[in-house]
Amino acid sequence: MNVLIVHAHHEAKSFNSALMHLATEQLTAAGYQVQVSDLYEMNWNPVASANDFAQRKNPEYLVYALEQRHNYEQQAIAPDIAAELEKLKAADLVIFNFPLYWFSVPAILKGWIDRVLISGVCYGGMRFYDQGGLKGKKALVTLTLGGREHMFGEKAIHGELVDGMLRPLLRGTLAYVGFEVLPPFIGYHVPYIKPEAREQILVDYKNYLANLDSLTPLRYPHMDEFDSKLYPK
């Protein structure tokens, strides 16, 4: 199995980086082929713009998704995007490793999503959810946050985590392009806990990774549940 870890943390000594290194070492030892896209180390450009295209189908007006399709077909898309696409296409499992910022992903990771999950390859037309361009691949979100576990839930102060603040990522992005989305691994209250508590999170993550094959993906829409106009059957 080929694994791509998309890592988004600015500090090489961070706990997120420790999670990334643990995953890399453990999965490699288990026989997986692991690649890491360390976005800050790569100085990844998060800004989607006309500079991503060597050719323009319409030089007068930029429709980014349409230019993605055209430039991919013409092998004229920006080299940094093309390189990430090759990693993505080769991967059976993609791990997104990041700290939660403002109920969302860091800007650098959002920019990776915007620029790499391109129209015509990852989605397009009726190719989404279980018919998306990345069908057959799995995605795992590994994140840390500052809140305590009791702060998240139906009646909790911050509301639902998986079905609430992570919904745009888990459903609107990963499931949408065809990934089977595994239940996320979450490290709670990380900036404030003692070293022994951090060590326990690492142990928990090691056990989580050891049982990837037994995890049940989250349930999202299937296209056969809808008609040709996308009304529920």
Side-chain angles (χ1 to χ4, degrees):
M1 178 183 286
N2 295 320
V3 179
L4 172 61
I5 301 176
V6 183
H7 174 62
H9 200 290
H10 53 270
E11 174 53 62
K13 298 177 182 178
S14 68
F15 189 70
N16 279 93
S17 295
L19 290 167
M20 179 269 288
H21 289 303
L22 185 154
T24 302
E25 293 165 7
Q26 180 170 337
L27 295 175
T28 298
Y32 296 82
Q33 300 296 315
V34 181
Q35 290 192 85
V36 178
S37 288
D38 186 336
L39 300 185
Y40 285 94
E41 180 67 23
M42 294 161 58
N43 196 27
W44 176 260
N45 172 21
V47 180
S49 74
N51 294 328
D52 292 339
F53 312 119
Q55 298 182 15
R56 289 287 297 276
K57 187 173 184 178
N58 182 352
E60 302 300 325
Y61 188 91
L62 176 62
V63 180
Y64 192 79
L66 297 182
E67 295 295 349
Q68 284 181 319
R69 294 188 186 195
H70 173 72
N71 278 261
Y72 179 78
E73 292 169 356
Q74 299 300 315
Q75 298 184 338
I77 204 157
D80 59 342
I81 298 174
E84 293 304 293
L85 275 170
E86 290 306 307
K87 297 178 191 177
L88 180 62
K89 290 192 294 183
D92 302 296
L93 168 67
V94 183
I95 299 175
F96 296 88
N97 187 81
F98 61 92
L100 194 72
Y101 285 178
W102 297 108
F103 286 24
S104 187
V105 299
I108 200 167
L109 178 53
K110 181 58 166 63
W112 187 94
I113 290 168
D114 290 346
R115 298 181 68 224
V116 176
L117 300 186
I118 69 171
S119 178
V121 176
C122 300
Y123 71 97
M126 298 289 279
R127 296 171 61 235
F128 48 90
Y129 291 118
D130 64 316
Q131 298 302 316
L134 302 184
K135 179 180 180 180
K137 301 178 185 295
K138 294 182 179 180
L140 168 62
V141 167
T142 297
L143 71 140
T144 62
L145 44 75
R148 298 179 183 272
E149 190 168 359
H150 73 268
M151 297 177 180
F152 302 91
E154 183 179 355
K155 296 183 179 180
I157 183 67
H158 297 315
E160 293 282 358
L161 183 55
V162 172
D163 294 328
M165 67 178 66
L166 293 179
R167 180 185 172 105
L169 175 63
L170 299 179
R171 178 172 180 165
T173 303
L174 303 180
Y176 185 86
V177 296
F179 281 115
E180 291 184 25
V181 183
L182 300 177
F185 181 87
I186 303 164
Y188 290 95
H189 208 47
V190 166
Y192 313 107
I193 56 179
K194 295 181 179 180
E196 53 267 31
R198 292 188 174 204
E199 286 300 320
Q200 184 58 55
I201 294 174
L202 292 174
V203 170
D204 293 342
Y205 192 41
K206 185 174 182 179
N207 292 333
Y208 189 96
L209 293 172
N211 293 284
L212 285 176
D213 291 340
S214 67
L215 296 175
T216 301
L218 301 176
R219 180 69 166 84
Y220 292 113
H222 287 198
M223 293 297 287
D224 62 7
E225 299 169 344
F226 298 84
D227 65 21
S228 62
K229 295 184 178 180
L230 298 181
Y231 286 101
K233 289 183 178 178

